[in-house]
Amino acid sequence: MNKDLVVDTKGLACPMPIVKAKKALDGLQSGQVMEVLSTDKGSVNDFQAWVKQTNHELVKHEEEQGVYKFYVRKA
Amino acid sequence: MTTTATYQPMTAKEVTRYVLDKQPLFILDVRNEGDYNDWRIEGETIESINVPYFELLEGVEGIMDRIPAEGKVLVVCAKEGSSMFVAEQLAETGRAEVFYLQGGMKAWSEYLEPVKVADLKDGGELYQFVRIGKGCLSYMVISNGEAATIDTLRMTDVFEQFAAEKGATIKHTIDTHLHADHISGGRQLAEKLGATYWLPPKDAGEVTFEYAALNDAEEITVGDTQIKIQAIYSPGHTIGSTSFVVDDRYLLSGDILFVESIGRPDLAGLAEDWVGDLRNTLYNRYKELSEELVVLPAHFGKITELGEGGKVSARLGDLYQNNPGLNIHDEAEFRRAVTENLPQHPNSYQQIRQTNMGKIAPTSDEQREMEIGPNRCAIHDK
């Protein structure tokens, strides 16, 4: 899928994946899509809750060999 | 001495003291809402609020009015990283006495508080290990340099160390049944120490390892003064569930009978088949025992079940008066109570059963993950 930015947080523990994702998202335009990579299992539930609370859109998320990928469209 | 903004770790053991000594503690739990609603630190004097850390990335100013102006604040998260992040921000507002839970809820789930239950005859001792974060209870019988553990938890080093401090060698590790809510440490501990691992054969049909068959009326002796552990076949939570009478006084009831509830028969998928067994155990077999026996279960469901020093126990005769699960006189009503509207299953209970059968061998991190959450082994658990 199209993405405007990739944020790699592999190897980082909570809260860093969301801290980095938020910083990156702040620099995007409305409608742009960011891909976040994480190896933190706890980030799956947290990303969904965070995106919901901030009104952005979690377009999809998937797991590939222990790496979680989140696609977030900025509101 | 420095007076700059600081925050400090608080261990699960220290948090346990607040709960058991009924000292006030305010908790800011920064996990997501779902995890908080599922399972959290509770206690009579514990007050907690939930604000996920991702709502506090810009700072904590917005929630300061929800935190008491005075006293200690403990920030809690799953592992500890996010709680340190939030604790730092709290400290920066100028607050003193800011703490984070060291190791997070994972550490809380694993902490065991040893509580002495009683002196047994000829210098023997009986201890209960309270897994306060998850509601599991283990036991150790010590007599004359020997020890037996019952319903040993995964944190086997705690038992090993405790026995060593008491100058005792663990000779037997005994499980009352094949557990579905937590991973047994009985087999691992027995293998390490050359002890005997006992399991009821009817629960062991699919296990992949050697064990000693724990049959009805089996007697296990601890120490040469012979503290007796007498087995009583008491099916219902599982088909093999077995209870023990220790030193003619203490009834270790496993997951059959709890202080405020009774065991659920559905975790192996055979509720309808096992209802009759559960009824027979609770309303006939246990009824034949002395009312003076002190019941020591393998779980508690609510923090209010913790008595003096954290001990969970009750006189059998009192439970026949007060436990709602022992006072359902109509059989059809009993059947409904233990098969309908049951609480959610414990997290990962299928994988936990497979692990306890030796069919799968998860890594220690995976095992820790599988055990996150409450035990939910009683019919009245939420």
Side-chain angles (χ1 to χ4, degrees), chain B residues 84-101:
Chain B
M84 292 171 77
F85 176 85
V86 173
E88 183 166 6
Q89 297 190 52
L90 269 179
E92 277 168 6
T93 67
R95 275 208 69 119
E97 300 197 289
V98 177
F99 299 83
Y100 70 94
L101 175 60

Side-chain angles (χ1 to χ4, degrees), chain A residues 13-15 18-19 22 26 40-42 45-46 49-50 53, chain B residues 31-33 35 53-55 57-58 79-82 85 369:
Chain A
C14 212
I18 290 186
V19 169
K22 183 188 177 297
D26 287 346
D40 183 18
K41 198 178 172 198
N45 286 334
D46 289 356
W50 170 62
Q53 175 246 339
Chain B
R31 294 174 300 153
N32 66 57
E33 197 187 340
D35 289 347
Y53 67 92
F54 44 82
E55 292 179 20
L57 298 178
E58 309 273 3
K79 281 174 267 186
E80 83 174 16
S82 300
F85 176 85
E369 195 71 40

Side-chain angles (χ1 to χ4, degrees), chain B residues 53-283:
Chain B
Y53 67 92
F54 44 82
E55 292 179 20
L56 302 170
L57 298 178
E58 309 273 3
V60 293
E61 286 71 23
I63 59 159
M64 290 311 283
D65 60 340
R66 296 177 62 193
I67 298 174
E70 298 282 321
K72 290 176 175 153
V73 179
L74 175 68
V75 189
V76 168
C77 72
K79 281 174 267 186
E80 83 174 16
S82 300
S83 63
M84 292 171 77
F85 176 85
V86 173
E88 183 166 6
Q89 297 190 52
L90 269 179
E92 277 168 6
T93 67
R95 275 208 69 119
E97 300 197 289
V98 177
F99 299 83
Y100 70 94
L101 175 60
Q102 194 170 62
M105 288 302 276
K106 285 198 168 172
W108 181 244
S109 167
E110 293 189 343
Y111 177 67
L112 301 182
E113 174 85 9
V115 181
K116 185 164 178 176
V117 174
D119 286 317
L120 306 176
K121 65 170 174 260
D122 293 334
E125 292 178 293
L126 175 59
Y127 284 88
Q128 182 178 57
F129 290 77
V130 181
R131 187 175 183 181
I132 190 166
K134 198 173 160 66
C136 304
L137 302 166
S138 289
Y139 296 89
M140 188 183 288
V141 177
I142 302 174
S143 171
N144 247 341
E146 289 188 6
T149 60
I150 294 112
D151 289 331
T152 318
L153 295 162
R154 179 170 53 80
M155 292 66 77
T156 52
D157 52 332
V158 177
F159 300 95
E160 212 183 322
Q161 213 176 322
F162 193 84
E165 280 167 21
K166 294 279 170 189
T169 308
I170 297 173
K171 294 280 189 184
H172 304 277
T173 71
I174 309 166
D175 275 346
T176 53
H177 63 289
L178 187 85
H179 294 282
D181 67 293
H182 66 263
I183 295 165
S184 170
R187 177 164 58 108
Q188 195 199 327
L189 190 60
E191 275 172 11
K192 186 170 176 198
L193 303 176
T196 306
Y197 177 48
W198 297 83
L199 193 62
K202 286 187 177 160
D203 276 5
E206 295 178 60
V207 307
T208 62
F209 46 80
E210 297 287 312
Y211 64 96
L214 180 66
N215 289 304
D216 184 45
E218 187 80 52
E219 286 195 6
I220 298 170
T221 303
V222 184
D224 54 14
T225 51
Q226 305 211 337
I227 298 295
K228 266 190 313 186
I229 301 179
Q230 296 166 281
I232 301 172
Y233 178 52
S234 51
H237 174 63
T238 63
I239 193 62
S241 288
T242 299
S243 313
F244 301 100
V245 175
V246 174
D247 206 21
D248 302 320
R249 261 221 78 194
Y250 300 92
L251 174 63
L252 273 58
S253 57
D255 282 7
I256 288 292
L257 176 61
F258 306 114
V259 170
E260 293 187 6
S261 186
I262 58 174
R264 59 193 290 176
D266 65 315
L267 293 179
L270 294 164
E272 292 294 332
D273 296 0
W274 294 354
V275 169
D277 290 321
L278 184 63
R279 174 102 190 156
N280 189 42
T281 292
L282 293 173
Y283 287 75

Side-chain angles (χ1 to χ4, degrees), chain B residues 353-369:
Chain B
R353 295 184 72 246
Q354 302 266 319
T355 307
N356 286 336
M357 290 179 202
K359 287 184 170 178
I360 55 172
T363 65
S364 45
D365 269 355
E366 285 166 345
Q367 294 194 13
R368 194 172 284 144
E369 195 71 40

